[in-house]
Amino acid sequence: MAAVEIYIWDVERGDAIFVKGPEQNAVIDLGQHANGFSPSRHIHTQHGIDSVDYLVLTHPDEDHIEDLPEFSSYFSPEVIARRDEADGYIRRRKNDLYPDRSRYQSVTESYLTLTDTYDQRATFSPSDPSWNGGLTFTHHILSLEEAGTTPIDELSEGETVNMNNLSILTVLEYGSFKLVTAGDLEQEAIETLLEQSSVRDDLRDTNVLVAPHHGRESSYTPKLFHHMTPELVAISDAKAGSTNASQKYSAQATGATVSRRSGTITDRNVVTTRQDGVIDLGIDDEEYRIRID
C-alpha cells in the first residue's frame, strides 16, 4: 500500500476524488453515477473508511455535490473548504427556481445543512505538512468580480448565474508528487487566475492534472501549459463529444506508465473515467504509479 492513495471515481459527468492520506483522509467533490454508485458508500463499506477529515467542495453544481446526502450519513469532516458566497445562489435556485425538482431539493438541502453547520470552521491548516504526514492542500480562487459573477442582490427575478468560475483550484502535494484539480473553471477564469504569481508558482512541476470542467473545450487554454507540463491528464466525464478537448490535453502531457488490474501496461498521456473506469494513483515520497480498471 502506497503512503497516499488517490481514487478518481467514475461518476460520469461529475467529479469525485477520494484521498487516503498517511494519517487523515480527504474528499474533493461528491458526484454520483447515474447507476446509483455512491463513492461515499463505497469507501465506507468496501474500503472500510470510517473518517474523512477534510472535504473540498470546488463549487456546488449538482454534479459535484450529488453524493452529499450519502456522504453526510457516514462522515463528519473536521473542515470543509468551500466558496461561502455560493450559498446564496444555491438557496435562490432551491427555493425560487427549482422547487419542483425533488432530487435537487434533497441534494441542496444536504449541502446547505452541512455548510450552515460548519461555516468555514477550521481546526487545522491543510497547507501545513505536519497535519497529515506531509500531504498538503493549497487553494486558489477568484473574487466574484474577477469571475464575472453577478452579485446575488443584483440579479433580476428568475435569473441565475453560472457558478463554474467560482470553482476552487486545488493543488495537492506529497513528497515530489503534485496533482492539480480546478472544478469547472472555464478558459477566461483560468487565464485570470494565471495572473497571480502564487498560482503560477504552485502549478510548476505538476505530475497529474485533472482537466477542468470534465475536459471540455470551454475550459481548455494553452496558457495553462506555459506554467505546467503534466505527465498525465485525467478526465472525468460520461462520454466524448464535440466539446471534448482530450486530444489537446494529450498533446500537452509528456506521458506516464499506466497499468490495468489485468496486468496490461501502456504509456498514456490522458486517462478518462468513461473509458478507463476508476483511476487509482498510489504515491510514495519519490515515485507514483497509476492503475485503471
Side-chain angles (χ1 to χ4, degrees):
M1 176 69 70
V4 175
E5 291 279 343
I6 301 174
Y7 298 90
I8 303 172
W9 302 109
D10 177 13
V11 289
E12 296 188 302
R13 63 187 176 87
D15 276 333
I17 302 173
F18 171 60
V19 183
K20 189 177 188 304
E23 299 170 11
Q24 315 284 348
N25 303 316
V27 165
I28 305 173
D29 284 341
L30 286 161
Q32 192 177 86
H33 199 287
N35 65 11
F37 171 74
S38 161
S40 302
R41 185 170 61 244
H42 184 81
I43 64 174
H44 178 70
T45 60
Q46 300 300 315
H47 289 247
I49 300 300
D50 294 321
S51 65
V52 170
D53 306 277
Y54 189 46
L55 172 62
V56 180
L57 299 174
T58 62
H59 69 300
D61 276 347
E62 189 173 1
D63 59 331
H64 291 253
I65 62 171
E66 194 171 11
D67 200 45
L68 193 51
E70 287 278 356
F71 178 88
S72 296
S73 70
Y74 296 116
F75 306 113
S76 297
E78 291 185 58
V79 176
I80 301 173
R82 78 183 202 283
R83 293 297 301 266
D84 57 353
E85 307 99 316
D87 293 7
Y89 297 109
I90 288 299
R91 287 191 176 91
R92 181 184 179 91
R93 289 183 180 184
K94 179 179 183 296
N95 298 329
D96 301 336
L97 302 181
Y98 307 130
D100 299 324
R101 288 179 52 192
S102 59
R103 178 61 178 167
Y104 187 79
Q105 291 290 311
S106 172
V107 169
T108 53
E109 182 63 31
S110 291
Y111 171 83
L112 292 170
T113 298
L114 192 68
T115 56
D116 284 348
T117 300
Y118 281 79
D119 194 26
Q120 296 281 40
R121 181 183 65 191
T123 57
F124 58 80
S125 171
S127 60
D128 178 358
S130 67
W131 165 65
N132 195 359
L135 175 66
T136 65
F137 295 81
T138 305
H139 304 301
H140 299 279
I141 60 172
L142 294 173
S143 67
L144 289 180
E145 182 179 4
E146 290 171 326
T149 305
T150 304
I152 193 165
D153 57 1
E154 296 180 15
L155 293 175
S156 59
E157 185 177 353
E159 186 180 5
T160 188
V161 299
N162 178 349
M163 288 192 291
N164 288 344
N165 290 333
L166 295 185
S167 292
I168 299 170
L169 185 150
T170 296
V171 181
L172 177 156
E173 294 184 76
Y174 182 75
S176 62
F177 176 83
K178 184 181 292 187
L179 177 144
V180 172
T181 182
D184 284 353
L185 285 171
E186 297 177 355
Q187 178 183 347
E188 186 174 351
I190 294 169
E191 292 175 357
T192 301
L193 267 176
L194 290 173
E195 296 173 7
Q196 301 179 21
S197 60
S198 60
V199 174
R200 298 193 301 269
D201 290 344
D202 281 344
L203 294 179
R204 292 195 186 101
D205 302 317
T206 294
N207 301 94
V208 176
L209 169 68
V210 180
H213 207 188
H214 319 294
R216 296 175 188 173
E217 190 78 33
S218 60
S219 291
Y220 176 83
T221 170
K223 292 182 180 179
L224 178 63
F225 301 99
H226 297 170
H227 308 286
M228 67 155 67
T229 307
E231 292 158 342
L232 185 75
V233 177
I235 295 176
S236 175
D237 204 0
K239 60 182 178 179
S242 60
T243 59
N244 183 271
S246 60
Q247 292 300 316
K248 292 183 177 180
Y249 282 112
S250 181
Q252 300 286 2
T254 60
T257 301
V258 176
S259 62
R260 291 190 177 273
R261 286 176 173 79
S262 63
T264 305
I265 297 175
T266 57
D267 288 332
R268 299 277 294 275
N269 289 24
V270 171
V271 290
T272 69
T273 56
R274 65 175 174 267
Q275 177 181 341
D276 302 308
V278 61
I279 300 162
D280 174 9
L281 306 171
I283 302 106
D284 289 307
D285 287 339
E286 300 300 328
E287 60 182 12
Y288 73 102
R289 55 109 179 111
I290 308 142
R291 190 168 59 195
I292 57 178
D293 279 338

